[in-house]
Amino acid sequence: MTIDLTETSTGAIHDALQQARRRLGGPASGMVLTLIIVTDESAQYDAVRAANEAGREHPCRVLVVITRRPDSSSRLDAEIRVGETSPGETLLLRMYGPLGQHADSVVAPLLMPDTPVVTWWPGDPPGVPSADPLGVLAQRRITDAAAASAPRQCLAALAAGYRPGDTDLSWTRATPWRSLLAATLDQPHGTIHSGTVSAEQGNPSAELMAAWLTSRLHIPVASQTSAGPGVTDVSFTTSDGEITLTRHDGRVAHLRRPGQPERRVALHRRETPELLTEELRRLDPDEVYAESLTQFEPA
């Protein structure tokens, strides 16, 4: 069911939601959180699709904040979707004029009561997510440095403004790599002297992986540029020889260790819905991410 409201108010949106629930046969139930998406008109389709796919595992109310024509008069248009592509509810809130500068005043009355709030910026993130008006409403704040024009500078800004509850999808993209590397280094190996992470130019996941390895292993880990896609190689120089993990096709990795046969391991590149689903599984602070970010802070 889709309901379109033009020049509306939060009260009218709330009434329309209740009406939609009655038509579908019952009240809203089983929704576990509110997901606020801060995006623009060109990116909202992909963001909503990712949220709807994640909503199959985490039923939620999705509030999509789209700011349009800041030089026009204040106006709020809403598009309400209930019972369509996910178990939850999706509200597209298009804010015109000065109203867009006060989006939190529109969003706050529409939050699900007594449930956690997550704010996600699919595009260029704010420098300090926890200080953003829509970030203040959330217990968990998701950014994506890969969407920034200068990813490394973005990571440095996120490090400077980090607060518990912040995370970044560039970190989430590295989860399979980190799991495989942790399992590899849990096995007996020689003394590790240095490491290298190779990826396509400007890849923030590689920067975060190098920072994570540096903080955990207390060795220098350099970032190098490769042809991609994404992260392609991680290697360690040890007293027994070189340990390498390579993935040049975006699907299968090859693990080589001194004195052992080569292993092939599934390591596919994941799409945004998978990444968002993973992040919505945990709402507690990610201390390992926070520790890795400290590598980007000025000395």
PDB file of all heavy atoms in Angstrom, residues 202-216:
ATOM      1  N   GLY A 202      42.469   4.590  -3.583  1.00  0.00           N
ATOM      2  CA  GLY A 202      41.448   5.276  -2.799  1.00  0.00           C
ATOM      3  C   GLY A 202      40.492   4.363  -2.067  1.00  0.00           C
ATOM      4  O   GLY A 202      39.428   4.817  -1.638  1.00  0.00           O
ATOM      5  N   ASN A 203      40.850   3.094  -1.890  1.00  0.00           N
ATOM      6  CA  ASN A 203      39.943   2.147  -1.227  1.00  0.00           C
ATOM      7  C   ASN A 203      40.068   2.282   0.292  1.00  0.00           C
ATOM      8  O   ASN A 203      41.106   1.941   0.864  1.00  0.00           O
ATOM      9  CB  ASN A 203      40.281   0.724  -1.667  1.00  0.00           C
ATOM     10  CG  ASN A 203      39.288  -0.294  -1.126  1.00  0.00           C
ATOM     11  OD1 ASN A 203      39.272  -0.562   0.057  1.00  0.00           O
ATOM     12  ND2 ASN A 203      38.480  -0.850  -2.002  1.00  0.00           N
ATOM     13  N   PRO A 204      39.039   2.773   0.986  1.00  0.00           N
ATOM     14  CA  PRO A 204      39.157   2.980   2.433  1.00  0.00           C
ATOM     15  C   PRO A 204      39.167   1.689   3.232  1.00  0.00           C
ATOM     16  O   PRO A 204      39.684   1.657   4.349  1.00  0.00           O
ATOM     17  CB  PRO A 204      37.945   3.851   2.765  1.00  0.00           C
ATOM     18  CG  PRO A 204      36.954   3.557   1.686  1.00  0.00           C
ATOM     19  CD  PRO A 204      37.755   3.256   0.452  1.00  0.00           C
ATOM     20  N   SER A 205      38.607   0.606   2.678  1.00  0.00           N
ATOM     21  CA  SER A 205      38.651  -0.674   3.396  1.00  0.00           C
ATOM     22  C   SER A 205      40.090  -1.138   3.564  1.00  0.00           C
ATOM     23  O   SER A 205      40.464  -1.679   4.615  1.00  0.00           O
ATOM     24  CB  SER A 205      37.842  -1.737   2.641  1.00  0.00           C
ATOM     25  OG  SER A 205      36.473  -1.402   2.620  1.00  0.00           O
ATOM     26  N   ALA A 206      40.916  -0.932   2.528  1.00  0.00           N
ATOM     27  CA  ALA A 206      42.329  -1.298   2.626  1.00  0.00           C
ATOM     28  C   ALA A 206      43.028  -0.463   3.687  1.00  0.00           C
ATOM     29  O   ALA A 206      43.859  -0.970   4.452  1.00  0.00           O
ATOM     30  CB  ALA A 206      43.005  -1.122   1.266  1.00  0.00           C
ATOM     31  N   GLU A 207      42.697   0.836   3.735  1.00  0.00           N
ATOM     32  CA  GLU A 207      43.302   1.707   4.748  1.00  0.00           C
ATOM     33  C   GLU A 207      42.933   1.242   6.157  1.00  0.00           C
ATOM     34  O   GLU A 207      43.770   1.209   7.061  1.00  0.00           O
ATOM     35  CB  GLU A 207      42.837   3.147   4.526  1.00  0.00           C
ATOM     36  CG  GLU A 207      43.218   3.748   3.190  1.00  0.00           C
ATOM     37  CD  GLU A 207      44.646   4.257   3.154  1.00  0.00           C
ATOM     38  OE1 GLU A 207      45.349   4.147   4.185  1.00  0.00           O
ATOM     39  OE2 GLU A 207      45.066   4.758   2.109  1.00  0.00           O
ATOM     40  N   LEU A 208      41.672   0.861   6.337  1.00  0.00           N
ATOM     41  CA  LEU A 208      41.224   0.405   7.653  1.00  0.00           C
ATOM     42  C   LEU A 208      41.838  -0.946   8.013  1.00  0.00           C
ATOM     43  O   LEU A 208      42.184  -1.190   9.180  1.00  0.00           O
ATOM     44  CB  LEU A 208      39.695   0.317   7.686  1.00  0.00           C
ATOM     45  CG  LEU A 208      38.967   1.651   7.808  1.00  0.00           C
ATOM     46  CD1 LEU A 208      37.479   1.486   7.516  1.00  0.00           C
ATOM     47  CD2 LEU A 208      39.159   2.245   9.208  1.00  0.00           C
ATOM     48  N   MET A 209      41.980  -1.833   7.014  1.00  0.00           N
ATOM     49  CA  MET A 209      42.619  -3.121   7.288  1.00  0.00           C
ATOM     50  C   MET A 209      44.079  -2.937   7.688  1.00  0.00           C
ATOM     51  O   MET A 209      44.569  -3.583   8.617  1.00  0.00           O
ATOM     52  CB  MET A 209      42.509  -4.027   6.065  1.00  0.00           C
ATOM     53  CG  MET A 209      41.132  -4.619   5.859  1.00  0.00           C
ATOM     54  SD  MET A 209      41.018  -5.565   4.324  1.00  0.00           S
ATOM     55  CE  MET A 209      42.310  -6.780   4.549  1.00  0.00           C
ATOM     56  N   ALA A 210      44.782  -2.052   6.992  1.00  0.00           N
ATOM     57  CA  ALA A 210      46.176  -1.790   7.348  1.00  0.00           C
ATOM     58  C   ALA A 210      46.267  -1.210   8.753  1.00  0.00           C
ATOM     59  O   ALA A 210      47.155  -1.583   9.543  1.00  0.00           O
ATOM     60  CB  ALA A 210      46.798  -0.839   6.329  1.00  0.00           C
ATOM     61  N   ALA A 211      45.352  -0.313   9.099  1.00  0.00           N
ATOM     62  CA  ALA A 211      45.333   0.264  10.450  1.00  0.00           C
ATOM     63  C   ALA A 211      45.028  -0.804  11.494  1.00  0.00           C
ATOM     64  O   ALA A 211      45.648  -0.831  12.575  1.00  0.00           O
ATOM     65  CB  ALA A 211      44.295   1.382  10.512  1.00  0.00           C
ATOM     66  N   TRP A 212      44.074  -1.695  11.189  1.00  0.00           N
ATOM     67  CA  TRP A 212      43.716  -2.779  12.116  1.00  0.00           C
ATOM     68  C   TRP A 212      44.902  -3.705  12.347  1.00  0.00           C
ATOM     69  O   TRP A 212      45.218  -4.053  13.498  1.00  0.00           O
ATOM     70  CB  TRP A 212      42.520  -3.543  11.539  1.00  0.00           C
ATOM     71  CG  TRP A 212      42.214  -4.829  12.227  1.00  0.00           C
ATOM     72  CD1 TRP A 212      41.758  -4.996  13.504  1.00  0.00           C
ATOM     73  CD2 TRP A 212      42.334  -6.146  11.664  1.00  0.00           C
ATOM     74  NE1 TRP A 212      41.578  -6.332  13.772  1.00  0.00           N
ATOM     75  CE2 TRP A 212      41.927  -7.052  12.664  1.00  0.00           C
ATOM     76  CE3 TRP A 212      42.732  -6.630  10.423  1.00  0.00           C
ATOM     77  CZ2 TRP A 212      41.915  -8.435  12.446  1.00  0.00           C
ATOM     78  CZ3 TRP A 212      42.719  -7.994  10.203  1.00  0.00           C
ATOM     79  CH2 TRP A 212      42.319  -8.888  11.200  1.00  0.00           C
ATOM     80  N   LEU A 213      45.592  -4.101  11.273  1.00  0.00           N
ATOM     81  CA  LEU A 213      46.736  -5.002  11.405  1.00  0.00           C
ATOM     82  C   LEU A 213      47.871  -4.331  12.171  1.00  0.00           C
ATOM     83  O   LEU A 213      48.538  -4.960  13.003  1.00  0.00           O
ATOM     84  CB  LEU A 213      47.214  -5.445  10.021  1.00  0.00           C
ATOM     85  CG  LEU A 213      46.263  -6.393   9.278  1.00  0.00           C
ATOM     86  CD1 LEU A 213      46.671  -6.523   7.815  1.00  0.00           C
ATOM     87  CD2 LEU A 213      46.248  -7.767   9.947  1.00  0.00           C
ATOM     88  N   THR A 214      48.086  -3.041  11.922  1.00  0.00           N
ATOM     89  CA  THR A 214      49.126  -2.315  12.647  1.00  0.00           C
ATOM     90  C   THR A 214      48.840  -2.283  14.140  1.00  0.00           C
ATOM     91  O   THR A 214      49.721  -2.530  14.974  1.00  0.00           O
ATOM     92  CB  THR A 214      49.244  -0.879  12.105  1.00  0.00           C
ATOM     93  OG1 THR A 214      49.651  -0.921  10.733  1.00  0.00           O
ATOM     94  CG2 THR A 214      50.244  -0.065  12.902  1.00  0.00           C
ATOM     95  N   SER A 215      47.575  -1.993  14.495  1.00  0.00           N
ATOM     96  CA  SER A 215      47.224  -1.889  15.917  1.00  0.00           C
ATOM     97  C   SER A 215      47.246  -3.243  16.618  1.00  0.00           C
ATOM     98  O   SER A 215      47.569  -3.325  17.799  1.00  0.00           O
ATOM     99  CB  SER A 215      45.843  -1.242  16.071  1.00  0.00           C
ATOM    100  OG  SER A 215      44.826  -2.092  15.551  1.00  0.00           O
ATOM    101  N   ARG A 216      46.929  -4.308  15.888  1.00  0.00           N
ATOM    102  CA  ARG A 216      46.861  -5.633  16.495  1.00  0.00           C
ATOM    103  C   ARG A 216      48.211  -6.344  16.543  1.00  0.00           C
ATOM    104  O   ARG A 216      48.525  -7.039  17.499  1.00  0.00           O
ATOM    105  CB  ARG A 216      45.856  -6.500  15.735  1.00  0.00           C
ATOM    106  CG  ARG A 216      44.412  -6.080  15.934  1.00  0.00           C
ATOM    107  CD  ARG A 216      43.949  -6.444  17.324  1.00  0.00           C
ATOM    108  NE  ARG A 216      42.762  -5.706  17.727  1.00  0.00           N
ATOM    109  CZ  ARG A 216      42.046  -6.009  18.796  1.00  0.00           C
ATOM    110  NH1 ARG A 216      42.398  -7.008  19.562  1.00  0.00           N
ATOM    111  NH2 ARG A 216      40.992  -5.288  19.122  1.00  0.00           N
TER     112      ARG A 216
END
